[in-house]
Amino acid sequence: MQLLRYKVKQQRIANIFISHLHGDHYFGLFGLLSTMHLQNRSHDLNLFGPPGLAEILSIQFKYSHTYLSFRINFHELDTTVYKKIFEDNAITVHTLPMQHRIACWGFLFREKPKLRHLIKDKLPAFLTPPQLIRLKFGEDILDETGNILVANAEVTSEPSRSRSYAFCSDTRYQENLIPYVKNVDLLYHEATFLEELCDRAVHTCHSTARQAATLALKAEVKRLLIGHFSVRYKDLNPLLLEAKAVFDNVQLATEGKTVGILE
Ligand SMILES: [Zn+2]
Ligand SMILES: [Zn+2]
């Protein structure tokens, strides 16, 4: 319903990553899959999730007599260590170890290095399409004798930056995460409580706003996004201020807000 409300095109969703089996993280999934079916989705959907998720879904489909119009490729997450679980031409996805009351996975999304940009008005007219592609990959164009005909640096510019995003929820504060999320452009880290409830955070395997910010600081990430706030906080400003006192470049993840990976 939120995807509809915020006009996210469901047909463009190719991969879904579920962190763990607490209800607040996947109870909407069955509804979403059913809606995709009602909209006659025909292309495959990749679903990455904990052991048990496939069984839960198949029971729901069985008793609702739902025979999906599309195929779900279920990828069961088998270990909570750092591991590559997805790769295409543009990105890789690794799992991140969370520490929670039940098995829980974070996800690290990284764009692969991008191709160099061609500077159109500097390109000699005689270049062929294969030569243009070689230039994008950073090669010089040579003549038959092996001399440089077109120097790469003169006709191309630096590629766009490859972005990175780490999703860390739900988890207690744990510094062994730092090497995996070091320098990412955007870190989403849960911040369920204020520091005054840090005992409760430890007990329930959640984090405080100050802890999320401390992790961002120590991992030298570019920006921090905090979320997963306890419903007890009607006003979220104290959570933002508490995080800001430790790490300045922080935003609240609130419903409906669009946050770019880069600013
Ligand atoms: Zn949870
Ligand atoms: Zn949760």
Side-chain angles (χ1 to χ4, degrees):
M1 290 182 71
Q2 296 298 68
L3 290 177
L4 271 178
R5 182 167 299 155
Y6 297 112
K7 301 191 167 50
V8 176
K9 293 207 173 67
Q10 293 172 21
Q11 297 300 336
R12 292 192 58 195
I13 298 174
N15 304 288
I16 297 179
F17 300 85
I18 300 292
S19 61
H20 65 301
L21 292 183
H22 281 151
D24 52 323
H25 294 261
Y26 84 105
F27 278 177
L29 183 60
F30 183 68
L32 173 62
L33 298 175
S34 300
T35 301
M36 287 173 162
H37 165 67
L38 291 172
Q39 291 179 341
N40 282 321
R41 181 189 177 106
S42 57
H43 52 292
D44 287 12
L45 179 78
N46 290 316
L47 178 58
F48 299 80
L53 180 59
E55 183 187 350
I56 293 167
L57 288 173
S58 57
I59 287 173
Q60 289 180 311
F61 291 132
K62 178 181 168 192
Y63 287 100
S64 61
H65 291 231
T66 303
Y67 303 97
L68 292 180
S69 62
F70 59 97
R71 177 201 292 272
I72 296 177
N73 300 318
F74 186 73
H75 304 270
E76 186 173 285
L77 302 171
D78 56 356
T79 162
T80 54
V81 300
Y82 176 77
K83 181 181 172 186
K84 184 161 77 185
I85 54 167
F86 177 81
E87 177 170 20
D88 66 8
N89 292 333
I91 68 161
T92 58
V93 183
H94 286 78
T95 47
L96 296 171
M98 302 287 97
Q99 290 184 6
H100 198 41
R101 300 196 303 286
I102 58 174
C104 184
W105 288 260
F107 300 104
L108 175 63
F109 302 83
R110 272 191 194 284
E111 279 185 318
K112 293 181 172 176
K114 296 179 181 176
L115 299 178
R116 296 185 69 82
H117 295 293
L118 300 174
I119 308 170
K120 287 217 172 68
D121 18 312
K122 295 202 175 163
L123 289 174
F126 60 80
L127 290 171
T128 62
Q131 287 175 321
L132 292 175
I133 290 170
R134 293 222 295 278
L135 284 169
K136 285 189 173 195
F137 277 96
E139 295 175 31
D140 296 320
I141 302 302
L142 309 178
D143 64 17
E144 307 84 70
T145 54
N147 293 317
I148 292 178
L149 192 62
V150 181
N152 195 287
E154 285 167 19
V155 297
T156 68
S157 59
E158 288 295 310
S160 309
R161 218 152 72 71
S162 299
R163 295 166 292 180
S164 53
Y165 169 58
F167 174 87
C168 298
S169 187
D170 297 352
T171 188
R172 70 175 183 83
Y173 177 75
Q174 42 145 348
E175 297 198 342
N176 59 358
L177 207 51
I178 292 171
Y180 304 117
V181 301
K182 193 103 190 162
N183 298 128
V184 293
D185 292 308
L186 183 64
L187 169 68
Y188 173 91
H189 197 286
E190 72 132 284
T192 306
F193 299 110
L194 283 169
E195 190 65 22
E196 64 192 16
L197 288 181
C198 66
D199 288 349
R200 178 129 189 86
V202 170
H203 183 68
T204 56
C205 289
H206 284 298
S207 306
T208 68
R210 188 199 287 181
Q211 288 172 337
T214 302
L215 197 93
L217 183 74
K218 292 191 174 181
E220 299 174 84
V221 306
K222 309 274 187 328
R223 282 161 68 225
L224 171 65
L225 186 61
I226 53 172
H228 198 273
F229 312 116
S230 163
V231 290
R232 80 191 67 219
Y233 302 116
K234 303 291 173 252
D235 175 14
L236 300 177
N237 230 16
L239 291 144
L240 181 65
L241 291 176
E242 182 177 287
K244 250 187 194 300
V246 176
F247 184 84
D248 189 52
N249 206 349
V250 55
Q251 277 179 274
L252 296 172
T254 48
E255 204 71 35
K257 182 154 79 179
T258 301
V259 179
I261 305 291
L262 304 178
E263 264 166 304

